[in-house]
Amino acid sequence: LWPEVIALTKSWHSPLSSITLRVSDKMAVSHTFINELIVAHSSMLEHIAFISVDVPWQSVGVIATKCTRLERFAMHIPDKDVVSLCFPTVYAVLIHRIQHSFSTALAKSTTLQTLTDIGESHTVHSAQAFLSRSNVKMMMTKVPRLKKLVTHDRIWTVRI
């Protein structure tokens, strides 16, 4: 359905400035779909939100690179794909790698100002350990214009 919708909006010859993809049940989108979206609308996109949608890592980099007007980006930043709570040291190292990869992908954006971690419905009430002060500082340092990082319980901002 979404590829047809993107094709239809592309045929209007009026690029979207904002898009929110929200599904009732969590699902993954392909890198191909993200590329179609970017080809059709990257020149004007200022806001992108993926709610209950898993986005491939390479797609985050493409969005950051190709959407030259992107100011706001919202999605779940995954923190538990390879986590074992039995080994806190391993947990911390893996979380740092995931955060580092995400920051590296976003660092390609020269316009992103606000990043929102929309979380997952079943983790909203639990702490998200990967967003420590040092990880947020590192992300804000790597992403050139990032000024605000919003989570379910906190708003992190850059001091000027």
Side-chain angles (χ1 to χ4, degrees):
L1 174 66
W2 285 350
E4 290 84 11
V5 171
I6 297 302
L8 177 63
T9 59
K10 184 178 180 180
S11 73
W12 297 339
H13 300 290
S14 180
L16 301 176
S17 63
S18 176
I19 188 164
T20 299
L21 300 177
R22 174 184 225 134
V23 293
S24 56
D25 293 323
K26 189 168 184 153
M27 69 175 291
V29 294
S30 70
H31 185 60
T32 303
F33 169 74
I34 298 296
N35 277 335
E36 290 173 9
L37 172 66
I38 298 307
V39 166
H41 301 291
S42 65
S43 66
M44 296 300 288
L45 277 171
E46 296 174 3
H47 174 256
I48 299 174
F50 296 113
I51 303 170
S52 294
V53 177
D54 282 333
V55 179
W57 285 116
Q58 69 265 32
S59 296
V60 173
V62 169
I63 290 167
T65 303
K66 302 286 185 179
C67 295
T68 57
R69 294 181 179 216
L70 185 66
E71 295 178 0
R72 295 175 292 136
F73 187 45
M75 66 175 284
H76 170 61
I77 303 170
D79 65 325
K80 65 187 182 334
D81 295 335
V82 287
V83 169
S84 170
L85 296 178
C86 300
F87 304 102
T89 305
V90 173
Y91 175 79
V93 169
L94 292 174
I95 293 309
H96 176 74
R97 286 182 185 160
I98 290 170
Q99 191 69 26
H100 179 71
S101 298
F102 189 75
S103 298
T104 301
L106 283 181
K108 297 174 183 176
S109 175
T110 58
T111 58
L112 182 65
Q113 296 176 25
T114 303
L115 175 63
T116 303
D117 179 7
I118 55 123
E120 290 184 308
S121 60
H122 67 278
T123 62
V124 170
H125 300 292
S126 66
Q128 294 187 337
F130 73 102
L131 284 178
S132 66
R133 182 180 305 255
S134 62
N135 284 341
V136 169
K137 184 177 179 180
M138 183 264 306
M139 191 183 304
M140 293 219 174
T141 301
K142 287 188 79 147
V143 183
R145 297 216 33 221
L146 188 61
K147 302 292 182 238
K148 187 187 303 184
L149 197 153
V150 181
T151 65
H152 73 280
D153 64 343
R154 214 161 169 180
I155 299 175
W156 303 84
T157 58
V158 173
R159 287 188 195 157
I160 299 175

